[in-house]
């Protein structure tokens, strides 16, 4: 008996597979947990150039990153990677199915390759949220989302209207809606580069879009990126609900001149205030030229030679910890030894090591403050009179001299060397000297000297922030006016103080009825004079 053959679907691949992943509207913080998870597991990631930096944050060292070709070639690349047993991730801005993923998903299905679609936060809802515009005041309120190409066919309605692709001709959108029956007084808002540090929103009405854009200094020539418009009464809530563009340092480009490891916590705090941190290492930390001193110091800690150990920097903690780990030791070797820390950052590094410091100055968190807080040697209460000072090769002598004066025998050990970092790239140097940065944060006197040495003096319009009086004195020696001083010598306190300064500048501009401008947008010819 002849049995008619029936075409069977292709056999599904059981090894590799494809994930079509949306990255959201632009803010890296809006990437979904699932998207980050898949990027970390991927063997191949296909992403356009503007998404590559985001992808690199999550990729494993063995992952391959490549740019897409045309739709057919990209689909073939993804399918082949899956057949080779890899997880292939294709990144899309916004949401995948709103940006062409359907064709690549269909190609995977036709080839019998397993695939997954990971939605991204859509621009249509995210951008208005970052602009402070509620799209629906009630759960059952009507909302319409259209593309600008469809605008002429949209009849008037009290519903909120979201217009994608509004960057082509905002004023023309208003004219076409008015021609379709919309009142000229209908509120209108347009946002460029939504959810990013360059977001810019202009509010108007349909009848005044052109003049209001001109008054705001906005034109097609000086805007970039996609724009989304919102039409309707919801726009009136922006004055109350705007939260993103009103951050105290919104859009500020801030230079953080520290070692890259130490800059991380500062940069994160700056981002929370809306700033764009630029980490420029001015100091490189290297091991001491002769390790014998540190070897003897570690042996002395283990054998009970010291009563105290004083840490005056995070780098000192790191240097001692690395040496301990080389010898297979851990924090238990500090049993019976009292530990002092110069400030909260150093204390945090010690806590990460498993050590709770016994002495931290409360007010002046500096070597001078630690020296002032140190108890005198008491031959009855203190069985040993030695203090270990693992420090940098260029450390000041204030603490050492104070310890000797109050009866302690201090052993000053070079735990690490600080050397001037290589100059930053030419565009960074030009931005420093030409006013391209809105602020610079100096966290020590050495960061002042080294930044000026490798890149030049910051421009007159740049806001200068310093961590304490000694750093302020060094900045003044280089002719820099200090605008912000941290209330206590802490990197976080310095960033918070800079944010307060930015908020004050914003409030002053608003009170005067002037546009809020970043320091770098001020007159470039202005000269900075010392107070």
């Amino acid at each position: 008996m002849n049995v008619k053959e029936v075409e069977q679907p292709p056999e599904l691949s059981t090894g590799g597979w494809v994930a079509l992943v949306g990255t959201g509207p632009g803010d890296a913080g809006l990437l979904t947990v699932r998207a980050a998870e898949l990027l970390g597991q991927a063997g191949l990631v296909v992403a356009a150039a503007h998404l590559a930096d985001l992808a690199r944050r999550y990729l494993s060292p063995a992952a391959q990153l490549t740019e897409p070709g045309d739709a057919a070639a990209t689909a073939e690349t993804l399918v082949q990677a899956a057949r080779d047993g890899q997880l292939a991730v294709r990144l899309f801005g916004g949401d995948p199915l709103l940006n062409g993923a359907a064709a690549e998903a269909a190609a995977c299905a036709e080839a019998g390759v397993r695939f997954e679609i990971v939605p991204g936060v859509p621009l249509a809802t995210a951008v208005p949220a970052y602009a402070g515009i509620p799209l629906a005041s009630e759960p059952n309120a009507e909302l319409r989302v259209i593309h600008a190409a469809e605008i002429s066919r949209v009849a008037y309605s009290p519903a909120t209207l979201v217009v994608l692709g509004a960057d082509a001709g905002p004023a023309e959108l208003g004219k076409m809606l008015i021609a379709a029956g919309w009142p000229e007084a209908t509120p209108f808002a347009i946002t460029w580069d939504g959810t990013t540090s360059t977001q810019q929103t202009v509010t108007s009405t349909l009848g005044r879009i052109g003049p209001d854009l001109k008054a705001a200094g906005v034109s097609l020539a000086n805007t970039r990126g996609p724009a989304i418009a919102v039409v309707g009464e919801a726009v009136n809530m922006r004055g109350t609900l705007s939260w993103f563009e009103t951050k105290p340092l919104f859009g500020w480009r801030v230079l953080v001149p520290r070692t890259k490891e130490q800059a991380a916590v500062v940069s994160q705090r700056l981002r929370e205030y809306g700033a764009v941190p630029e980490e420029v290492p001015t100091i490189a930390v290297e091991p001491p030229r002769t390790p014998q001193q540190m070897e003897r110091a570690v042996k002395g800690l283990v054998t009970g030679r010291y009563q105290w150990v004083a840490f005056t920097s995070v780098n000192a903690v790191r240097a001692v910890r690395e040496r301990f780990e080389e010898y297979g030791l851990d924090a238990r070797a500090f049993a019976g030894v009292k530990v002092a820390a110069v400030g909260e950052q150093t204390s945090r590094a010690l806590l990460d090591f498993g050590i709770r410091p016994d002495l931290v100055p409360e007010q002046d968190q500096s070597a001078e403050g630690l020296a002032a807080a140190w108890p005198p040697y008491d031959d009855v209460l203190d069985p040993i009179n030695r203090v270990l000072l693992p420090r940098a090769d260029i450390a000041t002598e204030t603490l050492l001299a104070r310890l000797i004066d109050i009866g302690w025998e201090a052993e000053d050990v070079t735990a690490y060397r600080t050397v001037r970092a290589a100059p930053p790239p030419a565009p960074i140097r030009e931005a420093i000297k030409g006013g391209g940065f809105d602020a610079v944060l100096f966290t020590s006197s050495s960061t002042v000297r080294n930044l000026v040495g490798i890149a030049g003096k910051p421009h007159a319009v740049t806001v200068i922030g310093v961590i304490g009086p000694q750093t302020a004195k060094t900045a003044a020696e280089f002719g820099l006016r200090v605008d912000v001083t941290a209330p206590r010598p802490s990197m976080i306190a310095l960033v918070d103080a800079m944010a307060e300064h930015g908020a004050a500048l914003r409030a002053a501009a608003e009170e005067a009825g002037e546009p809020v401008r970043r320091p770098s947008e001020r007159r470039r010819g202005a000269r900075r004079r010392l107070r």
Side-chain angles (χ1 to χ4, degrees):
M1 181 175 69
N2 292 329
V3 179
K4 183 178 180 181
E5 292 184 356
V6 178
E7 184 178 351
Q8 298 295 318
E11 184 179 350
L12 288 175
S13 170
T14 58
W17 53 295
V18 173
L20 307 170
V21 175
T23 62
D27 183 348
L30 296 181
L31 190 74
T32 65
V33 173
R34 180 59 174 162
E37 181 183 70
L38 291 173
L39 283 170
Q41 298 172 1
L44 171 69
V45 175
V46 180
H50 68 283
L51 300 175
D53 286 341
L54 175 61
R56 289 189 185 97
R57 299 185 186 185
Y58 302 94
L59 295 186
S60 69
Q64 178 186 358
L65 180 64
T66 185
E67 291 193 28
D70 58 41
T74 300
E76 183 178 348
T77 299
L78 296 171
V79 167
Q80 186 58 54
R83 286 175 172 165
D84 291 341
Q86 291 184 306
L87 164 58
V89 171
R90 169 74 160 101
L91 284 187
F92 295 85
D95 186 85
L97 293 181
L98 292 176
N99 288 284
E104 292 171 22
C108 290
E110 183 178 350
V113 169
R114 181 164 64 97
F115 66 92
E116 174 182 344
I117 298 175
V118 181
V121 178
L123 277 72
T125 56
V127 173
Y130 271 55
I133 300 173
L135 296 182
S137 57
E138 301 175 2
N140 59 352
E142 184 182 355
L143 170 66
R144 290 188 289 177
V145 180
I146 67 166
H147 193 274
E150 306 170 281
I151 200 74
S152 61
R153 301 193 296 272
V154 180
Y156 171 72
S157 165
T160 300
L161 178 66
V162 176
V163 184
L164 306 177
D167 45 287
E172 296 304 314
L173 295 179
K175 293 176 182 177
M176 286 189 281
L177 286 173
I178 292 171
W182 293 66
E184 293 188 14
T186 304
F188 174 94
I190 182 168
T191 302
W192 280 267
D193 292 328
T195 79
T196 74
S197 59
T198 56
Q199 176 174 307
Q200 182 178 19
T201 302
V202 176
T203 56
S204 181
T205 62
L206 293 181
R208 287 196 50 83
I209 296 174
D212 287 345
L213 288 175
K214 185 176 181 180
V218 176
S219 68
L220 295 180
N222 62 18
T223 56
R224 66 180 191 277
I228 289 179
V230 180
V231 184
E233 295 301 321
V235 171
N236 291 330
M237 292 297 293
R238 172 173 159 78
T240 302
L241 301 182
S242 179
W243 63 274
F244 186 57
E245 291 172 64
T246 55
K247 287 186 173 185
L249 299 177
F250 179 75
W252 282 38
R253 189 182 180 195
V254 180
L255 182 68
V256 184
R258 289 181 66 81
T259 62
K260 204 164 186 64
E261 296 82 5
Q262 295 168 328
V265 63
V266 180
S267 294
Q268 179 56 37
R269 191 75 162 194
L270 285 167
R271 291 187 188 97
E272 292 170 2
Y273 285 119
V276 183
E278 188 97 41
E279 299 172 4
V280 176
T282 59
I283 299 172
V285 177
E286 297 182 356
R289 287 192 175 90
T290 55
Q292 288 80 6
Q293 268 193 328
M294 276 292 286
E295 290 172 359
R296 287 195 295 269
V298 170
K299 182 179 179 180
L301 281 170
V302 175
T303 58
R305 176 177 174 80
Y306 303 106
Q307 176 80 354
W308 281 90
V309 182
F311 290 98
T312 56
S313 71
V314 172
N315 285 327
V317 177
R318 183 179 293 115
V320 170
R321 182 173 182 174
E322 288 174 354
R323 188 53 59 94
F324 265 51
E325 290 171 350
E326 286 178 14
Y327 296 145
L329 301 172
D330 57 27
R332 289 173 293 184
F334 280 82
V337 181
K338 292 183 179 180
V339 177
V342 74
E344 62 184 51
Q345 302 296 330
T346 305
S347 296
R348 188 174 296 116
L350 284 167
L351 289 171
D352 289 342
F353 189 17
I355 300 170
R356 184 174 297 278
D358 300 280
L359 175 64
V360 182
E362 293 183 2
Q363 298 298 326
D364 182 7
Q365 295 190 344
S366 65
E368 292 80 2
L370 183 57
W374 202 284
Y377 172 67
D378 188 317
D379 58 5
V380 176
L381 299 177
D382 299 309
I384 304 170
N385 73 336
R386 294 188 191 87
V387 179
L388 174 62
L389 287 177
R391 303 189 298 163
D393 56 334
I394 58 171
T396 59
E397 302 302 318
T398 304
L399 179 57
L400 179 65
R402 167 66 177 168
L403 291 174
I404 295 172
D405 286 344
I406 58 177
W408 294 95
E409 180 184 332
E411 292 189 5
D412 195 17
V413 174
T414 300
Y416 63 95
R417 293 184 301 123
T418 57
V419 297
R420 181 178 289 178
I428 298 295
R429 299 198 302 271
E430 292 167 6
I432 291 170
K433 293 182 286 188
F437 284 97
D438 298 287
V440 177
L441 301 183
F442 288 117
T443 51
S444 67
S445 291
S446 60
T447 59
V448 179
R449 290 189 290 267
N450 289 343
L451 181 71
V452 173
I454 65 176
K457 288 171 56 176
H459 190 274
V461 299
T462 306
V463 176
I464 304 297
V466 299
I467 202 166
Q470 186 59 46
T471 307
K473 180 181 177 181
T474 304
E477 291 171 357
F478 282 90
L480 300 174
R481 188 191 74 199
V482 174
D483 302 283
V484 177
T485 302
R488 62 183 189 281
S490 155
M491 294 185 289
I492 296 301
L494 174 56
V495 176
D496 292 347
M498 183 63 71
E500 290 179 9
H501 181 76
L505 293 178
R506 172 180 288 274
E510 291 174 344
E511 185 177 350
E514 299 174 351
V516 177
R517 291 193 173 92
R518 301 190 307 275
S520 60
E521 295 174 323
R522 297 174 188 166
R523 182 169 62 89
R524 296 304 172 108
R527 298 292 298 173
R528 179 184 293 275
R529 293 194 297 269
L530 290 172
R531 286 175 178 155

